């Protein structure tokens, strides 16, 4: 996988971990963020290669994330 693909996967894992630590389902997060459940699922699975920056900002706001540090594996 490319560096971009790996970064998107790590980003998705970070969002999933934060969502779960907040005790939220994908449906709840989607409602709060004002995005589709599919967008949340694709982002968390690392398949959202074409997601919009505005979607990521909404998700981050809903999770109360000011920034995301993506650790390399």
């Amino acid at each position: 996988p490319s560096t971009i693909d790996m970064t998107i996967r790590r980003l998705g894992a970070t969002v999933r971990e934060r969502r779960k630590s907040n005790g939220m389902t994908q449906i709840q997060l989607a409602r709060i963020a004002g995005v589709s459940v599919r967008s949340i699922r694709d982002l968390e699975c690392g398949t959202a290669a074409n997601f919009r920056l505005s979607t990521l900002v909404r998700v981050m706001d809903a999770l109360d994330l000011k920034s995301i540090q993506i650790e390399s594996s």
Side-chain angles (χ1 to χ4, degrees):
S2 72
T3 302
I4 300 271
D5 290 338
M6 296 302 292
T7 300
I8 291 170
R9 287 184 186 144
R10 287 192 298 268
L11 173 63
T14 300
V15 168
R16 182 185 317 105
E17 289 169 13
R18 182 60 175 255
R19 174 182 60 79
K20 287 184 174 184
S21 74
N22 286 351
M24 300 168 73
T25 65
Q26 289 180 339
I27 294 169
Q28 291 169 322
L29 177 55
R31 285 184 184 151
I32 292 167
V35 301
S36 69
V37 176
R38 181 178 179 177
S39 292
I40 300 297
R41 183 190 67 230
D42 289 351
L43 180 60
E44 289 186 0
C45 291
T47 58
N50 295 324
F51 67 86
R52 296 176 184 219
L53 183 57
S54 61
T55 300
L56 180 57
V57 169
R58 287 176 173 204
V59 170
M60 288 177 62
D61 285 347
L63 293 172
D64 198 29
L65 287 168
K66 305 301 181 220
S67 65
I68 297 177
Q69 181 171 353
I70 302 170
E71 301 294 329
S72 58
S73 303

